[in-house]
Amino acid sequence: MTGYQLQAQTSAALLAALPGWRDLQAARPDLDQETVEAILGEAAKFAEGRLALVNSPGDAEGCRLDGGRVRTPSGYAQAYQALAGDGWIGMDLDDAHGGQGLPVVLHTAAQMLFDRGCTALMMLAGSSRAAAHLLAAHADASVREDWVPALCSGHSAATICISEPDAGSDVGRIRTRGEQRDGVWHITGQKIWISFGDHDMAPRIGHCLLARTSDAPGTRGLSLFLVPDVLEDGRRNAIVIERIEEKMGLHGSPTCSMQFEGAEGILIGEEGRGLSQLFTMMEFMRLQTGAQGLGLALGAAGIAAGYIHERHQGGDPKRAAVPISAHGDVRRQVLDLSAKAATLHMAVLDLALLLDRIELTADPDTRAALEAQAAFTLPIIKTFGAETAFETASAAMQVLGGAGYTREWPVEQILRDCRVLAIYEGTTGMQAQDFLMRRLWRENGAGLKSFLGAAHSEIDKSSSSDSYKISLKKILEQFETLSTGMDALKTGNPRAGEFAAEPYLRAGWAAVSALNAWRLSQLADQPRLAALGTYRLDQLEGEFAFHAGKCHAASNSYDVLFETAFPEA
Amino acid sequence: MTGYQLQAQTSAALLAALPGWRDLQAARPDLDQETVEAILGEAAKFAEGRLALVNSPGDAEGCRLDGGRVRTPSGYAQAYQALAGDGWIGMDLDDAHGGQGLPVVLHTAAQMLFDRGCTALMMLAGSSRAAAHLLAAHADASVREDWVPALCSGHSAATICISEPDAGSDVGRIRTRGEQRDGVWHITGQKIWISFGDHDMAPRIGHCLLARTSDAPGTRGLSLFLVPDVLEDGRRNAIVIERIEEKMGLHGSPTCSMQFEGAEGILIGEEGRGLSQLFTMMEFMRLQTGAQGLGLALGAAGIAAGYIHERHQGGDPKRAAVPISAHGDVRRQVLDLSAKAATLHMAVLDLALLLDRIELTADPDTRAALEAQAAFTLPIIKTFGAETAFETASAAMQVLGGAGYTREWPVEQILRDCRVLAIYEGTTGMQAQDFLMRRLWRENGAGLKSFLGAAHSEIDKSSSSDSYKISLKKILEQFETLSTGMDALKTGNPRAGEFAAEPYLRAGWAAVSALNAWRLSQLADQPRLAALGTYRLDQLEGEFAFHAGKCHAASNSYDVLFETAFPEA
């Protein structure tokens, strides 16, 4: 079986084991196991048969700016149109909007196969799908009908334009302005880091863009616009692509710096509500980034797991060399990286399912609890999807040795491509602030309570009484205690909280990993995954303690040390 | 002050604080503080004024194979000749051999400045210097006089040819043969991963090469040869450059695959003693790799420390944005990466000094103890020089955000260039085996005892009685206890030792880091370094416990889990 098909089958098996899946299947009896396997099997086939073929050539060829327009690598346009034509982009959008009405979790499982195939190309599918959700939720009927089905079919594509030179993590400093003249909105300003800001892969491009429409400070004066690249009368809109960034990786995905020079735009939703409208989409984007990291991690792990049987080295010098899979150190390396990726696999699907279950839940209290749990989990999955990709790629390269450092093997591209995942869609530092300051402090730990409650109830339902259950319970209890301490910083010492936010996020991931590794360890019919879960769970008590220790160590003495070490501050 | 000058001054200050420096100065009264500062100041000037200028262009231009010869990037040849002309390559070789007779530690401090400037170019200086040491130690007088001064002056350059397609970590499987015909040795076989296997930076190239000269199995049949690219009569030797590897980084350093087609070579030293003769040089190469990692880590750390004052983001939205150095999370990140680099800085200089002190020591017992301590420290410094470079580059990129992922900033090149350091000169797995199986098991922990004895005596001499001393003592004692447990595996369960070797090496680095961070914390006249040492030492108890926990967890159950997870093995 190929790595793609194995990944598809694993996704189907993990889904079947997740408690949330039963809720979803109750509402969607059409999605039986066979159907799920068939859908993901097709996605695997497409990822391997179409996307993977343009991945390495696209990296080598890159994008270029030619007469003001961006040219993408050979084969990208055809592959994108095939992706759209087969219905994969709009999988989880309503049928009424040109989608397939499938759950988010199936979209996620398919997307991570596609990202394994060619993550640079999938950057366009990602922003187009996010824009489709955004417009479906907030645009007027005419704009919605004009754009959403077109985004699903590949006739149109979309970008999300937020960052500016002085407004990166600090969105409130956006200076691009939207001004109404004669009933038409005109957008003026510079946007940077815009993935697929221009391209030749779809006939029409719409830019979902945040711009300032009032002098209210910070994020309150921001409105959301849709700025098409071509106007209704066929004229090109006043948008200039200034340059494509030269990046370490993702060469197939043109990262554009753009000038909007009074470009005509359509106001989406309410004036001044731009940022809050974007939040729906940001949730999708954070899950999407986590899943993207997972696809790349599983790809790198698959290469390492294959290589150790092919490469022969060591053993009795009088005999033929043994496969390196015989060496203890190599086994430990491959167990370690594979177990981390498998645990993330379970965790990403669990979060995607949670988003589906929110939509199925009518009871407001239950829904609020699920929403809080999703908000608690999103910064974790975004961050550790990104980090697991990078760690796994680097660990896989170590298994391959010198070969892994060359372009003969795809691992070095994965390493280069994935490094930006921890930066875009909110850096790790921003995710950690969200986790501590919004989820724990501002929302009084509603998401944490919901997560812990669901976890304990799941564990208590399990009939097994092994040491793994005890280990998991211990980590969850320690995480609860740690969280109580972190919560006290809210009033007691918020500055120490700033220093401890990232280690606290890491401790949170250790706790979420423990639950998911335990789930893997319980899969009696999946000995491969159960072994990986067991290995991972064994490591997590130590890892949790490590991060908790860093939380405790973080104190205002860091300010003193910093100012001594860097007096120019 | 520039980052290069700061690094030079820091090296001088750290040297002055190291106990071994006093021993060295007693033997070399000419090397007073002023002279050391002057030498390193000049090295900094050369690194910044010459090498740094070809670094980024050389990465973009790369090397190419043209009519069977390798062309290096523009400016490389001139920069290399200037490096040699100023005497930097042979700094630590005897005057009699065309060197400057300076200690290894000064060469190391200069080298890490040059590596910060252009590590790809320095790959040639590294192998040429290693070859000069090798030939000075083992070649006949005529070969030595012909080659060693020429390697120092830049008239010649050298490679080290060990790896073959089926002989990477497993050197004993070398198949290249040396055969004597009519009194002349002829070399036939393929060598791969040869840095600067050909180039246009010096008039003559000598390949120091391991080849099989008898059928004795493993490493016993290997002899060392010097194979010049041009013969005495001016004919080119029978060496074909097959290809240059396409790598993730180090594009300025051509990694060659070469065929030796009966090429004429000179036997160096004794037949069948090739590998043991190479060991002298391998020590230099492992220290050199650690120092290379340090130079790159300090470069990346310097960029991050500068950026946080320039980049403004966040703060009260009604006011101008603040420098990001105001944010707690950013401060923690920069403290963390800078403290790790500073601790490595102290540790690398300490090891280099140790190599110098061995040469100065006449008493055989003292000399044996120092040699054992160096052998214990080398795998640590090699491994964590490499890892600190990669971690620091990645952490610096995180501080820079999106900008760091682009070629506008040099961090992404550092990340790409340094990743191979953990692979070449013996992978991390091989270093861990060396550390556990040779140093602890085979040599009965002689190096460990020597390290601990020296550390305790240094601590006890210190008059300070602060909590840092207690913390350091605690880590050293825990490391001793852990080592006792690891030693018991030698007879009790060597397979578990294989699984635990890498975590044990990491625990060793935590212990070595603790000593060096404590030394930093004691530098009353260097508040910047003292603050970084204090920060680092605070983190190390937790880090030590983490790695020790992984050592304890490693067991033969890993074989069972591995075989369940990867049944195809």
Side-chain angles (χ1 to χ4, degrees), chain A residues 134-462:
Chain A
L134 185 64
L135 297 173
H138 300 291
D140 292 344
S142 67
V143 171
R144 199 169 62 221
E145 282 159 25
D146 182 14
W147 282 87
V148 181
L151 289 168
C152 294
S153 72
H155 169 269
S156 299
T159 72
I160 311 290
C161 300
I162 303 177
S163 294
E164 301 180 6
D166 294 318
S169 293
D170 190 359
V171 177
R173 296 193 188 271
I174 281 176
R175 290 197 285 198
T176 294
R177 296 199 69 90
E179 284 166 325
Q180 211 171 8
R181 288 196 298 272
D182 308 326
V184 178
W185 286 95
H186 293 269
I187 311 297
T188 305
Q190 187 184 14
K191 293 287 179 182
I192 61 172
W193 309 126
I194 311 308
S195 297
F196 285 96
D198 188 41
H199 56 85
D200 47 12
M201 289 158 63
R204 183 175 66 160
I205 303 171
H207 304 288
C208 298
L209 174 149
L210 275 190
R212 193 164 291 287
T213 50
S214 88
D215 292 328
T219 57
R220 280 177 291 154
L222 300 176
S223 302
L224 179 65
F225 292 90
L226 176 67
V227 185
D229 67 337
V230 176
L231 299 173
E232 285 194 4
D233 58 10
R235 281 180 301 133
R236 291 201 64 78
N237 209 344
I239 306 168
V240 176
I241 306 294
E242 293 180 304
R243 67 168 188 278
I244 301 175
E245 305 292 346
E246 289 193 55
K247 307 187 300 294
M248 181 166 80
L250 286 186
H251 295 318
S253 166
T255 303
C256 299
S257 170
M258 305 169 71
Q259 285 286 354
F260 291 83
E261 302 181 337
E264 294 182 25
I266 304 156
L267 178 71
I268 302 295
E270 268 179 74
E271 210 180 315
R273 300 272 303 151
L275 192 66
S276 64
Q277 288 169 186
L278 267 184
F279 270 121
T280 338
M281 182 223 73
M282 284 182 188
E283 286 202 350
F284 281 120
M285 294 295 263
R286 287 197 287 172
L287 169 61
Q288 208 160 276
T289 304
Q292 186 183 25
L294 175 57
L296 292 168
L298 291 172
I303 293 162
Y307 186 82
I308 60 174
H309 303 304
E310 290 168 24
R311 172 72 176 162
H312 290 63
Q313 219 33 195
D316 182 344
K318 289 180 213 130
R319 296 181 172 200
V322 298
I324 61 170
S325 61
H327 302 305
D329 184 61
V330 171
R331 290 187 167 197
R332 185 194 51 73
Q333 288 181 63
V334 173
L335 270 178
D336 206 68
L337 66 89
S338 306
K340 283 177 182 163
T343 304
L344 177 69
H345 199 162
M346 186 69 112
V348 165
L349 293 176
D350 194 27
L351 172 60
L353 256 182
L354 193 54
L355 298 186
D356 283 319
R357 285 158 64 209
I358 291 170
E359 294 307 310
L360 293 177
T361 304
D363 174 59
D365 289 349
T366 313
R367 193 177 165 114
L370 293 177
E371 279 172 345
Q373 191 180 337
F376 161 88
T377 317
L378 275 161
I380 292 180
I381 294 299
K382 191 276 168 183
T383 302
F384 298 99
E387 289 203 3
T388 304
F390 189 66
E391 271 180 32
T392 309
S394 185
M397 186 180 284
Q398 196 64 30
V399 171
L400 269 64
Y405 190 64
T406 71
R407 298 201 179 149
E408 295 288 303
W409 287 85
V411 175
E412 70 86 28
Q413 185 187 344
I414 298 176
L415 188 66
R416 287 185 291 104
D417 283 352
C418 77
R419 180 59 187 82
V420 74
L421 273 63
I423 295 171
Y424 63 39
E425 304 307 329
T427 62
T428 299
M430 298 306 290
Q431 302 297 332
Q433 278 202 24
D434 178 66
F435 189 63
L436 175 68
M437 294 166 195
R438 291 210 190 89
R439 304 312 147 208
L440 189 68
W441 288 358
R442 206 173 70 192
E443 296 174 3
N444 296 311
L448 170 71
K449 285 181 202 107
S450 182
F451 163 72
L452 288 172
H456 282 296
S457 124
E458 184 180 339
I459 303 163
D460 294 340
K461 269 184 209 142
S462 148

Side-chain angles (χ1 to χ4, degrees), chain A residues 168 170 313-314 331 405 416 559, chain B residues 168 170 313-314 331 405 416:
Chain A
D170 190 359
Q313 219 33 195
R331 290 187 167 197
Y405 190 64
R416 287 185 291 104
D559 273 326
Chain B
D170 191 358
Q313 219 34 193
R331 290 186 166 196
Y405 190 64
R416 286 185 292 104

